[in-house]
Amino acid sequence: MTKNHASLAIDPYYDGVPAYMTEVYDWAYVDPKWVRALDHNMVVRVQLFLNDQRLIRSYLNEIKEGMRVWQLAHVYGDLVIRAAQKVGPRGVFHLTDVTPIQIEHSQRKLNGMEWTKIIRCDAASFAGEASIDYDLICSFFLLHEVPDEKKHEIVNNMLANLPKGSKAVFVDYHNPAVWHPVRYILKLVNRYLEPFADALWKNEISSYAAQADRFTWSKRTMFGGVYQCVTVEHKP
């Protein structure tokens, strides 16, 4: 369901989008028609087997009013609105994404919130801003959607931008228990739609960090191991 090369060359929604996204996730995150259809809370709820609010809270509960927060990618539904509102006007909320349509949807949602900033950038190369030390950096269901090399780059870039005393949070898929029926649904989904997701069934997120031993890694799993929330802080 990807665009042909001629249309990619002239369509501004595809300008600068990584090849793996146009080849694998065109229908989900790049094509404006599909994005408009999918960017709804109910879609998120169905995709996450009704665990959406629990997973969202695992991120939002880390936010305190006035924090400086970097969220690595736009998320469908109202998550970015809720995160920015919880940060509030005394804080800073930065949202990065690499695709033009996701930037467009983010701008619409965060319009009028002067403490927010939306930046088109690859999460693996975003260097933050010189005057901002982030209190919280969050990857919410991003890692399972990128190739392994990009997983390494994203994790290491997050940690490079993490000051001492601050926290990084990863919310994503995990290795479901063998008895869990969702395990076998996801096996099919991963085979046909999510080719990069199996890696998180096999590898700890910490394994993608070049200097993992410099940090403390705390993991809790949810819904029979289908999901994980990993928090990372500098060692004392």
Side-chain angles (χ1 to χ4, degrees), residues 96-114:
T96 57
D97 207 290
V98 75
T99 59
I101 188 60
Q102 301 297 333
I103 294 294
E104 186 177 294
H105 278 235
S106 303
Q107 290 169 337
R108 174 178 55 80
K109 293 176 183 180
L110 300 180
N111 183 42
M113 299 186 191
E114 301 298 329

Side-chain angles (χ1 to χ4, degrees), residues 72-221:
L72 270 68
H74 176 244
V75 176
Y76 288 161
D78 63 1
L79 172 61
V80 296
I81 299 172
R82 293 168 65 183
Q85 287 175 336
K86 192 161 186 187
V87 167
R90 294 193 301 155
V92 172
F93 182 76
H94 285 172
L95 176 65
T96 57
D97 207 290
V98 75
T99 59
I101 188 60
Q102 301 297 333
I103 294 294
E104 186 177 294
H105 278 235
S106 303
Q107 290 169 337
R108 174 178 55 80
K109 293 176 183 180
L110 300 180
N111 183 42
M113 299 186 191
E114 301 298 329
W115 61 96
T116 69
K117 186 173 184 179
I118 301 160
I119 305 154
R120 188 180 178 198
C121 188
D122 190 321
S125 58
F126 179 60
E129 297 190 353
S131 60
I132 300 293
D133 284 336
Y134 294 113
D135 300 303
L136 181 68
I137 302 174
C138 181
S139 168
F140 192 89
F141 284 90
L142 174 62
L143 287 186
H144 79 279
E145 294 174 338
V146 301
D148 259 27
E149 180 180 351
K150 183 67 72 175
K151 287 181 174 65
H152 284 277
E153 293 173 358
I154 289 172
V155 171
N156 284 311
N157 193 43
M158 285 177 66
L159 298 181
N161 281 283
L162 187 70
K164 286 196 172 182
S166 299
K167 184 180 292 187
V169 178
F170 298 86
V171 183
D172 221 307
Y173 287 102
H174 187 258
N175 185 1
V178 293
W179 52 262
H180 206 306
V182 167
R183 177 184 182 91
Y184 305 96
I185 296 172
L186 288 176
K187 274 185 174 291
L188 289 174
V189 171
N190 292 353
R191 179 173 181 180
Y192 294 105
L193 296 176
E194 300 270 18
F196 311 125
D198 277 350
L200 292 186
W201 290 34
K202 303 170 184 175
N203 304 315
E204 297 288 348
I205 290 175
S206 60
S207 70
Y208 295 104
Q211 297 180 307
D213 58 350
R214 293 177 53 191
F215 302 87
T216 58
W217 300 77
S218 302
K219 181 178 78 172
R220 61 187 177 92
T221 61

